[in-house]
Amino acid sequence: MALDNETFELMKDSVTRFVRDRLVPAEDTVEQTNEVPEEIIQEMRDLGLFGLSIPEEYGGLGLNMEQECEVIHELCKASLTFRSVIGTTVGIGSQGLVMTGTEEQKKQYLPRLASGEIMSSFCLTEPDAGSDAASLRTVAIKDGDDYVLNGTKRFITNALRAGMLTVMARTNPDKKGASGISAFLVDPKTPGVTIAKADEKMGQRGTKTSDIIFEDARVPASALLGGAEGQGFYTAMKVLDRGRLHLSSVSTGISERIIAEALSYAAERKQFGTPIGEFQLVQAMLADSQAELFAGQAMTLDAAKKYDRKEEIAMLAACCKMFTTEAAGRIADRAVQIHGGSGYMAEYKVERFYRDVRLLRLYEGTTQIQQLVIARNMLKSLAN
Ligand code: COS
């Protein structure tokens, strides 16, 4: 499943133009209003951005992982908030359905997700279950032909915009670990589902995250993802493996933009009668950032190609996510440093990007969780 090269290149060029002509000029508005303008969301629909990863037979573009990574890298040369609007629908919110949904479930949701008519959210995290995802407490108890959901989900991106929630809940409360967890496709308008107000965050203004509270929310048995109980955690882990490649491209895209900001400032800003880019200590910062960007892009595309060849990538995706997000943090820090006092001022975009990229090292698995996944896989390969 992939777009042919020529069509793909045309598509990628249109994203590059969209970023340059529409998204970058709208960045300040988004920062000031904490909203993404509706006309920009409509243009994202028109470009097919909500359907990047959804198979063509369900109305999406059907990109393979390598192509998705390339497009996401391009898109993330603008404020990360824009990517966040499509992020859950392209990635973690829909991919459980694409991977394991029944034909009926796919037909019910995928065409509307692909067109952007509805958006999706991935509901795993809870107040007491973050890194330790398998300890989640939301329950879905079978009652006749239905399941009844109770519990609270936290930090759910796009919950306020979503028309479909992929919810991980414990169908077997007696089984404490992963195997008691199932996944459900839930309409947020279901009675008993409350989406809380948007969280106030450090950065990425315009992104919307919120709690979701389930109070005796009744869903039909047909909402059980794949029609099989006990598979929810494993599906979530596979979705996150894939999502970590997507996020690596988010990190490399914004890193490239931040380096461009630092480079143009270094070329223009004069001190001691010389552009500061002529100074070797500034050059060292630029060079370190460029090398880290190159490394991050190369490893992400390499792992994405392996994913497309259906190779096992859990460890590689964790390596990519850890490296590229940590690198983005260093790159943003150096960009602020190169800007000097101006780098601390809201007038220059590196101040905003510095705050925005801080999230990359936290969501979809902290750096420490990536380290744990990498080391566990190393030890497992030794045992085999
Ligand atoms: N693909 C498929 N199955 C996987 C898997 C993967 N990548 N990783 C783990 N599993 C399976 C294991 O094989 C194990 O199966 P069994 O029940 O048959 O033994 C089960 O899942 C539990 O795995 P494990 O014992 O490793 O679970 P732990 O609770 O120790 O830890 C981690 C799992 C920490 C890796 C997981 O909880 C995690 O990724 N946490 C971070 C969650 C996260 O990213 N949150 C962000 C919120 S979404 S924005």
Side-chain angles (χ1 to χ4, degrees):
M1 185 176 68
L3 219 55
D4 70 82
N5 278 346
E6 200 182 328
T7 318
F8 175 67
E9 288 306 325
L10 287 172
M11 193 261 157
K12 210 170 75 171
D13 285 350
S14 63
V15 173
T16 304
R17 283 196 303 277
F18 180 57
V19 166
R20 186 193 58 210
D21 298 342
R22 298 290 293 135
L23 300 189
V24 171
E27 283 174 344
D28 287 344
T29 305
V30 171
E31 188 71 9
Q32 283 150 16
T33 61
N34 201 16
E35 296 290 343
V36 179
E38 183 49 44
E39 63 266 24
I40 286 196
I41 299 180
Q42 186 53 45
E43 286 173 58
M44 290 174 159
R45 290 191 187 101
D46 297 341
L47 276 170
L49 293 180
F50 286 93
L52 294 179
S53 61
I54 293 174
E56 283 171 287
E57 58 191 296
Y58 300 104
L61 289 177
L63 301 191
N64 64 23
M65 197 65 218
E66 183 187 359
Q67 292 173 333
E68 180 178 324
C69 286
E70 284 191 47
V71 171
I72 294 301
H73 176 92
E74 284 304 305
L75 189 64
C76 291
K77 290 183 191 166
S79 163
L80 294 184
T81 301
F82 298 114
R83 195 283 323 182
S84 169
V85 174
I86 64 153
T88 51
T89 304
V90 169
I92 55 180
S94 73
Q95 290 305 298
L97 172 57
V98 171
M99 286 176 191
T100 68
T102 63
E103 193 49 40
E104 207 184 339
Q105 290 169 336
K106 289 181 183 178
K107 282 192 181 135
Q108 185 183 353
Y109 288 112
L110 289 180
R112 287 185 294 149
L113 290 170
S115 67
E117 180 191 332
I118 59 168
M119 302 183 198
S120 65
S121 291
F122 178 74
C123 310
L124 177 67
T125 300
E126 298 184 357
D128 292 316
S131 291
D132 184 9
S135 71
L136 64 84
R137 286 203 222 142
T138 296
V139 289
I141 304 298
K142 192 95 200 266
D143 182 34
D145 286 339
D146 300 333
Y147 286 89
V148 179
L149 274 73
N150 278 288
T152 300
K153 295 291 175 180
R154 180 138 293 175
F155 307 146
I156 305 303
T157 304
N158 286 327
L160 282 162
R161 297 177 170 129
M164 189 274 268
L165 309 171
T166 304
V167 183
M168 267 50 71
R170 202 168 283 288
T171 36
N172 189 341
D174 297 333
K175 278 196 190 162
K176 291 290 169 230
S179 64
I181 297 170
S182 304
F184 291 86
L185 304 174
V186 179
D187 181 341
K189 292 202 187 78
T190 305
V193 179
T194 306
I195 315 284
K197 67 176 175 43
D199 302 316
E200 290 290 331
K201 297 185 289 297
M202 175 195 274
Q204 299 208 14
R205 283 175 60 75
T207 61
K208 301 291 170 191
T209 66
S210 16
D211 278 10
I212 304 183
I213 300 112
F214 297 92
E215 288 167 304
D216 291 330
R218 188 171 281 274
V219 298
S222 59
L224 177 65
L225 181 61
E229 284 192 9
Q231 293 304 307
F233 187 80
Y234 310 111
T235 302
M237 288 297 110
K238 284 188 224 137
V239 166
L240 283 172
D241 287 341
R242 189 184 179 289
R244 287 165 186 163
L245 294 178
H246 176 111
L247 260 188
S248 300
S249 294
V250 171
S251 306
T252 58
I254 191 67
S255 292
E256 187 169 334
R257 168 70 186 280
I258 294 169
I259 291 171
E261 296 283 337
L263 186 62
S264 68
Y265 188 84
E268 279 163 24
R269 169 75 174 163
K270 284 193 178 145
Q271 285 296 276
F272 307 103
T274 316
I276 60 169
E278 298 293 323
F279 297 129
Q280 290 183 348
L281 293 177
V282 172
Q283 289 177 352
M285 288 192 271
L286 289 170
D288 285 354
S289 294
Q290 187 65 24
E292 288 188 330
L293 168 63
F294 179 53
Q297 272 188 290
M299 70 198 288
T300 303
L301 291 179
D302 184 67
K305 283 180 195 157
K306 291 191 165 85
Y307 182 90
D308 289 332
R309 294 200 296 265
K310 306 212 179 321
E311 293 175 30
E312 172 55 52
I313 51 90
M315 182 183 79
L316 297 182
C319 289
C320 293
K321 206 266 179 182
M322 175 176 79
F323 183 83
T324 56
T325 60
E326 290 285 333
R330 291 189 292 271
I331 289 166
D333 189 64
R334 289 185 201 114
V336 171
Q337 197 66 21
I338 288 168
H339 279 70
S342 299
Y344 203 68
M345 300 299 148
E347 186 189 339
Y348 290 86
K349 290 200 176 165
V350 290
E351 175 272 341
R352 179 186 312 168
F353 294 151
Y354 178 86
R355 288 183 285 109
D356 288 351
V357 300
R358 188 63 187 83
L359 180 59
L360 299 172
R361 292 147 63 189
L362 303 171
Y363 64 178
E364 296 193 30
T366 60
T367 293
Q368 290 65 34
I369 288 296
Q370 310 311 321
Q371 289 172 320
L372 180 151
V373 170
I374 296 164
R376 278 187 184 180
N377 275 282
M378 290 167 71
L379 292 163
K380 202 164 79 184
S381 71
L382 199 63
N384 289 337

